Each structure stands twice: as C-alpha cells, then as structure tokens.
C-alpha cells in the first residue's frame, strides 16, 4: 500500500461521512470484505454503511440501517441496534444493550454504557455481577462530544445533549439538556430569535422581569431565554440612536459618549455595534467611507494605528525600541479594533503591520522574555494579542514574516511557559488583586493566539478551575463592582476552555446565569451599556453608557447566554474583536 493510499484510508477513519462519495474502487472493495467478515459474526448492515477497520467492533448483535457509519477508534460491543443515518464518531464508546432510532448522531469521545455492575461490600468490585437495563435513543437525536449516557436511560425523539453532559435520567422528547448531571435547559421547539409578537418589557433597565427575579434558584434558562430575547429586541430598536448620540457631525468623528474626545476606538465600536444589532454600517457614513477613514489612519512606517492628537489631527507614535517595536498600548489595541472593524465593512488594512513583519524569531523570543509576566500580566497578554493579530493580518495580506518561523516561535514559547497547575501564564495571584491580573492577561493572550488561530488551549480543565476561583472573588464580581473587562475576561476563557468538555459545567452555568441576569439589567434606554466601575488602576471609561461599554457588554451577553444555553434567543453573534469563532481555521495558513 503506498503512502497516498494509506493517508486516504486514515482520512475515512476520521471522516467516514465522505466514504460513499470519495472512496476509490479499491477502498470500496476492502470495505465490502470487512463487512463480510463482520457478517460472519452476525452483523447486519444496510446499504451505504461504513465501518472503519480501525474501530473495535466486538458485538454479539450489530444491526445498522442504511447510510450509517462507525468511525475509527470507536469501541462497540454487546447488542447494538441502530436505524438509518446513525453515526458513531471517532473514539466513541457504545457498549451493552443499545437501541438507536433513525438519524442519531453520537459525538466523538462520547460513551453510551448500557451495562453496569454492583459494588456491594461482600466481594471485590471485579467479582460483582453485571446488569444491563439497556439504553434507548429515539429518532433525530444529537449527542454531543464527551457525553456519557448511563445504563437504563431513555433519550426521547429530537433531543440534543450538550457536550460533556452526563445523562443519568430519562430525557423527554424535544429536550435540550447539558451539565453533570444533565438537566433540561429548554425545549428544542421553543421559539428562537427575537420575540416580534411580544411587547418589550419596560422592566429591563432596572432589573429583570418579576417572573424571573422572583422564585427559587434553579433552572432559569426558560425565563432567561425570554429575557434575552426581549433585551435583544430593545437593543436593536435603539441601536441607531445610541450610535448617533456619539457622532460629532462638525468633526466627522465618533466619541465614546457625548462630551468625550473623539477616538479611533469609538469609530470601531460604532461599526461593531451597528453590525451586531443592525447588520449594516453606522448610518453616518457609507460603508466605503467608513472603511477609507479607518484605512487612512494606519501609520505607513510601522503599520500601527496611533490615537488622534489632542487637536483631532493625525496622531504621532513614539520612537521605536531597539528591536523595532513601538511601545504604545493604544496603538497596539488599534491593530485589533481597526482590522476587525474593516472586516465588518468588507475591507482590509492598507498595508502590513510592519513592526510584526520585521521582528525576527530571536527578537520575538527576547521581547516575550522581557514582558512583565510577574507584575502586569494583563499588559504582557495584551502585547501577545497585538503581535499575534498583526501576524494574522500580515498572513491575510499574503505577507510573510521577515524571518521564517516567528509565529511558530510564539506558540513554542507559550507552550513551554504555561503553568500546568493553573493553565495560565504569569504570576498566580497577589494579596491586593487576587487572580485579576492572571486571568485578565490570560484572556488577552489567548484571544489573539489560540482562539484567533483556532488552536486548543493547553490544560483546559485547569483553566476552568482557575477562572472559576477568580470569578468568585467578591472584590470584582459582586453586584455594582463588575466592569466589562473583568466579566469578559472570565466569560471568554470559560467558553473557550469548556467548549470541548464538560469540566465543572454546572458551576460554569450557575456563574453565567448570575452574571447574565445582572448584565441585562445594566442597559440604559437610548444610551446602551456603561463599561462599569473603574478598574484597579483607575482605567476604563467608567459607569457612563458609551460605545465601548455597549460593544463589550453585547459580546459578554452573547458569551454568557451561550454558556447558559440561550444564545440563540439573541439572534445576534459577535463577528468582530470578540467573535467566538477563530479568524483562521485552524493554524497559520492563509485562507483559500
């Protein structure tokens, strides 16, 4: 077998859905022979089925209907019966007495365990008798990755089970469930998107409606779903006005709020809010005019974008350091803000980010080693965010780094410096701020690197542990003390690290429910969200509603709603700086 054929065979182990359309004649013949061997052991497979030779299939009974498959490294034993269009994805385990309806999807690394044994104290565990009540899964069911379904459970028709759930009890038809133990989040048939048939409650600015704020704690997702739908309707109806209040027609620029100076970020925030809530650019300029104004701000020598001068004219950057980098935190953030605003306007930066392009791998490693990881972890993470975003934009423009391997050097340095006990970079905590610098720096670092480039974060479960511990710090997360930065810097890591597993999922959801409830009550009619109390260093625009607070809290509301399971009720999804999806999928290659 040559290398190319071997590679193709391995492809079908992991992507079996492509076998019918893409397999060669030789591969089809080999699969037919494999199915004949399975049939000799009693298997009965319908037309267009595929069973990977790399799967461990040792069944007493195996029945699969048409168009079903078992992917590579799945482990299937016992008495397994499935209908049409059933899929067992890579590394899934299906054991015991299992009955699947039509159209069942079993995600990678999930386990359906249709057997059990006792643990009475009169004998060792390995001598306990086995029992098998069996597992029944109805039609049109999606079981996400890393789910465990225990013996005796029935999952009704049309259910969806979220990643990482542990299903210990029956689920009624049409249930969307998640958590450990799994519990219903809502009905799959519930109306999604904005509630156009209901008046928007006037209770939102001062708090949640009475039917949400009263009553015992517990599963609030149904009420929260209604609340976020009403909030989204309210925000969409007011979006144009809250952007217009921040536009200075004489200067032709945006300020964060009336009376504040014009800033580059305010223009970018206006673009993001308009895209999120209206699906169009802000009304003050045409899309190409917005794009041209932002593109014209880029400094031709460095590729950075300075802040406006006090008189409103072009800004001036400081002199470069010995490695060519220009240390200007505002200009560094503008690499993110301006480039993502241009994305939303269907445009790109005029030129590469030269300070990134010209930095060699050795200079990059020296700079990383000199960052204030022990004293100002947020600043260190912000620098990584800027550099990695510049590298992403340069690749997007088809520009290679000055020396090959700089981007790989970044991820190599990060991989070898991460703390396996916390999953983070930098100092663990300080008496004055707790884990604030550590967690906030983690968000900025991973946003620009792992999240932006579509790579899994290391030690994801430890990240969840660290972030949850920080999220309980009363100095930063009691009512009236939160600001957008601090809540975002917990919500995003919990979303990012938890999306492929269910580690402490119930605790994550409880934290998100509480924060989402508070966030919805912060909206100010006609003005949007305020950023919140000043941070530990006095930074941030404060409590007054403005464009920065509105843009950030809109993204936070989406993240929290997704952690709770009601994000679809918002009918919006961030596409800019705070987008949940990677900008490159995955890795470093230029998009085709």
């Amino acid at each position: 077998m040559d290398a190319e054929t071997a590679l193709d065979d391995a492809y079908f182990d992991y992507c079996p859905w492509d076998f019918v359309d893409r397999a060669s004649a030789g591969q089809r013949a080999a699969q037919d022979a494999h199915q004949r061997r399975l049939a000799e052991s009693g298997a009965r497979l319908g037309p267009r089925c595929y069973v990977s030779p790399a799967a461990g299939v040792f069944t007493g009974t195996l029945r699969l209907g048409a168009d079903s498959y078992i992917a590579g490294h799945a482990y299937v034993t016992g008495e397994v019966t499935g209908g049409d269009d059933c899929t067992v994805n890579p590394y899934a385990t299906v054991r015991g007495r299992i009955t699947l309806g039509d159209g069942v999807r079993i995600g990678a690394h999930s386990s359906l365990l249709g057997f059990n044994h006792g643990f009475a104290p009169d004998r060792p565990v390995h001598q306990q008798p086995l029992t098998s009540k069996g597992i029944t899964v109805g039609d049109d069911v999606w079981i996400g990755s890393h789910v465990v379904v225990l013996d005796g459970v029935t999952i009704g028709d049309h259910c969806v089970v979220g990643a990482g759930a542990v299903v210990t009890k029956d689920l009624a038809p049409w249930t969307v469930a998640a958590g450990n133990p799994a519990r219903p989040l809502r009905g799959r048939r519930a109306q999604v998107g904005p509630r156009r048939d209901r008046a928007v409650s006037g209770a939102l600015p001062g708090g949640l409606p009475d039917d949400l704020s009263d009553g015992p704690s517990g599963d609030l997702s149904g009420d929260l779903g209604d609340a976020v739908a009403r909030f989204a309707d309210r925000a969409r109806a007011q979006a144009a006005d809250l952007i217009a209040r921040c536009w200075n027609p004489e200067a032709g620029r945006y300020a964060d709020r009336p009376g504040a100076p014009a800033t580059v970020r305010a223009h970018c925030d206006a673009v993001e809010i308009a895209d999120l809530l209206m699906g169009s650019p802000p009304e003050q300029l045409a899309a190409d005019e917005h794009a041209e104004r932002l593109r014209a701000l880029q400094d031709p020598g460095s590729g950075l974008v300075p802040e406006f001068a006090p008189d409103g004219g072009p800004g001036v950057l400081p002199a470069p350091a010995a490695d060519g980098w220009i240390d200007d935190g505002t200009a560094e953030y503008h690499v993110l803000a301006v480039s993502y605003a241009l994305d939303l306007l269907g445009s790109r930066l005029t030129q590469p980010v030269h300070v990134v392009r010209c930095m060699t791998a050795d200079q990059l490693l020296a700079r990383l080693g000199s960052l204030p990881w022990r004293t100002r972890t947020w600043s260190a993470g912000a620098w990584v965010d800027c550099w990695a975003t510049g590298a992403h934009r340069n690749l997007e423009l088809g520009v290679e780094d000055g020396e090959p391997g700089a981007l790989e050097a970044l991820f190599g340095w990060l991989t070898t410096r991460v703390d396996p006990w916390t999953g983070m970079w930098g100092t663990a905590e300080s008496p004055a701020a707790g884990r604030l610098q550590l967690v906030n720096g983690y968000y900025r670092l991973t946003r620009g690197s792992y999240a932006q480039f579509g790579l899994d974060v290391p030690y994801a479960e430890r990240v969840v542990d660290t972030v949850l511990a920080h999220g309980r710090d009363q100095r930063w997360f009691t009512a009236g003390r939160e600001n957008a930065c601090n809540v975002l810097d917990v919500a995003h890591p919990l979303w990012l690290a938890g999306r492929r597993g269910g580690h402490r999922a119930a605790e994550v959801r409880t934290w998100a429910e509480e924060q989402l409830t508070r966030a919805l009550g912060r909206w100010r009619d006609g003005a949007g969200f305020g950023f919140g109390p000043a941070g530990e260093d006095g930074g941030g625009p404060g409590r007054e509603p403005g464009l920065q607070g509105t843009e950030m809290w809109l993204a936070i509301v989406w993240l929290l709603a997704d952690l709770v399971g009601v994000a679809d009720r918002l009918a919006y999804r961030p596409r800019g700086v705070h987008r949940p999806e990677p900008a490159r999928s995955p890795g470093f290659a230029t998009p085709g």
Side-chain angles (χ1 to χ4, degrees):
M1 182 180 295
D2 60 34
E4 183 178 10
T5 301
L7 179 62
D8 288 343
D9 289 344
Y11 173 85
F12 294 122
D13 291 337
Y14 296 95
C15 304
W17 49 85
D18 281 341
F19 184 86
V20 170
D21 295 328
R22 299 181 60 178
S24 66
Q27 289 164 335
R28 295 177 194 279
Q31 177 64 198
D32 289 344
H34 181 54
Q35 292 193 19
R36 284 195 295 272
R37 289 191 293 272
L38 292 172
E40 292 172 359
S41 300
R44 297 292 180 268
L45 305 177
R48 299 175 301 282
C49 281
Y50 174 82
V51 179
S52 169
V57 179
F58 309 107
T59 51
T61 300
L62 177 61
R63 303 281 187 274
L64 290 179
D67 303 297
S68 298
Y69 63 73
I70 298 174
H73 308 288
Y75 183 29
V76 183
T77 69
E79 301 175 10
V80 179
T81 302
D84 296 340
D85 295 297
C86 287
T87 65
V88 180
N89 278 291
Y91 298 99
T93 296
V94 180
R95 302 188 64 196
R97 286 199 301 116
I98 309 292
T99 301
L100 310 175
D102 294 331
V104 175
R105 296 290 182 269
I106 301 173
H109 298 277
S110 287
S111 297
L112 276 64
L113 305 176
F115 67 97
N116 208 339
H117 60 69
F119 50 91
D122 61 336
R123 69 185 78 180
V125 169
H126 73 275
Q127 294 180 3
Q128 298 284 339
L130 289 176
T131 60
S132 181
K133 299 177 182 177
I135 294 171
T136 300
V137 180
D139 297 335
D140 180 37
V141 172
W142 176 16
I143 297 173
S145 297
H146 292 277
V147 170
V148 177
V149 183
L150 299 184
D151 188 35
V153 166
T154 295
I155 299 177
D157 295 346
H158 314 294
C159 284
V160 175
V161 183
V166 179
V167 186
T168 62
K169 297 180 180 179
D170 293 353
L171 297 177
W174 296 100
T175 298
V176 178
N180 180 6
R183 57 176 177 167
L185 302 181
R186 61 180 176 84
R188 185 176 161 196
R189 289 177 295 187
Q191 181 178 352
V192 299
R195 293 293 187 91
R196 303 295 180 186
D197 58 338
R198 296 181 59 173
V200 180
S201 168
L204 272 175
L208 289 174
D210 290 341
D211 61 351
L212 176 59
S213 57
D214 294 345
S217 61
D219 183 9
L220 303 179
S221 58
D223 290 329
L224 270 177
D226 291 342
V228 298
R230 292 194 296 272
F231 158 75
D233 266 352
R234 194 182 199 91
R236 270 186 288 272
Q238 300 177 16
D241 288 341
L242 71 87
I243 293 172
R245 74 189 278 269
C246 299
W247 169 254
N248 183 330
E250 290 78 18
R253 290 192 173 130
Y254 293 93
D256 181 70
R257 56 198 179 278
T263 62
V264 174
R265 177 166 184 163
H267 195 157
C268 299
D269 288 334
V271 170
E272 293 228 20
I273 294 166
D275 180 82
L276 205 61
L277 296 179
M278 301 189 298
S280 62
E283 299 172 351
Q284 288 70 36
L285 300 169
D288 58 347
E289 293 179 285
H290 281 293
E292 188 52 41
R293 290 198 182 190
L294 292 174
R295 285 160 58 89
L297 299 174
Q298 193 176 17
D299 175 60
S302 65
L304 298 176
V305 179
E307 186 55 272
F308 298 129
D311 63 0
V316 178
L317 292 166
D323 59 7
W325 190 263
I326 296 176
D327 290 297
D328 184 316
T330 301
E332 290 171 1
Y333 187 80
H334 290 164
V335 173
L336 285 60
V338 172
S339 67
Y340 275 100
L342 288 171
D343 277 351
L344 301 178
L345 295 166
S347 185
R348 291 182 178 181
L349 293 171
T350 303
Q351 57 190 311
V353 183
H354 298 297
V355 291
V356 171
R357 180 179 62 84
C358 296
M359 184 171 278
T360 67
D362 287 343
Q363 289 173 330
L364 172 63
L365 294 176
R367 169 68 68 151
L368 288 168
S370 70
L371 294 174
W373 295 104
R374 296 187 61 81
T375 56
R376 291 183 292 116
T377 313
W378 184 89
S379 296
W383 190 89
V384 172
D385 193 359
C386 170
W387 193 95
T389 301
H392 158 54
R393 296 306 179 184
N394 291 349
L395 287 170
E396 188 177 58
L397 292 170
V399 177
E400 296 294 335
D401 295 336
E403 178 181 285
L407 190 57
E408 289 80 356
L410 170 69
F411 282 98
W413 192 94
L414 294 175
T415 301
T416 56
R417 300 307 195 280
V418 64
D419 181 356
W421 296 104
T422 63
M424 305 208 164
W425 293 265
T427 302
E429 58 185 293
S430 71
R435 300 174 178 86
L436 184 68
Q437 282 280 335
L438 182 70
V439 173
N440 289 11
Y442 179 88
Y443 162 69
R444 285 299 303 271
L445 183 152
T446 54
R447 193 223 72 85
S449 56
Y450 292 89
Q452 187 164 233
F453 283 84
L455 303 175
D456 291 340
V457 294
Y459 305 111
E461 291 188 354
R462 301 290 76 75
V463 171
V464 172
D465 293 340
T466 303
V467 173
L468 276 177
H470 171 58
R472 296 191 180 100
D473 192 326
Q474 298 300 297
R475 289 171 290 183
W476 315 113
F477 298 102
T478 52
R481 294 186 179 182
E482 300 101 335
N483 67 36
C485 179
N486 293 344
V487 178
L488 172 66
D489 294 358
V490 170
H492 187 272
L494 289 177
W495 187 91
L496 184 66
R499 60 184 173 158
R500 288 185 172 86
H503 184 59
R504 301 178 70 177
E507 296 171 78
V508 170
R509 187 171 183 272
T510 297
W511 187 90
E513 283 178 347
E514 180 179 358
Q515 290 297 326
L516 180 57
T517 300
R518 293 178 186 168
L520 296 180
R522 292 189 177 96
W523 180 264
R524 297 269 296 276
D525 278 338
F529 285 114
F531 178 86
E536 61 169 337
D537 58 355
R543 299 176 184 270
E544 281 300 308
L547 296 178
Q548 181 180 341
T550 300
E551 185 276 322
M552 291 185 70
W553 279 109
L554 286 172
I556 292 164
V557 165
W558 187 92
L559 286 165
L560 295 171
D562 202 54
L563 289 171
V564 173
V566 296
D568 55 351
R569 303 294 300 278
L570 289 166
Y572 71 71
R573 188 181 186 94
R575 300 196 305 135
V577 172
H578 301 115
R579 58 185 289 161
E581 288 83 15
R584 317 191 73 80
S585 183
F588 308 159
T590 302

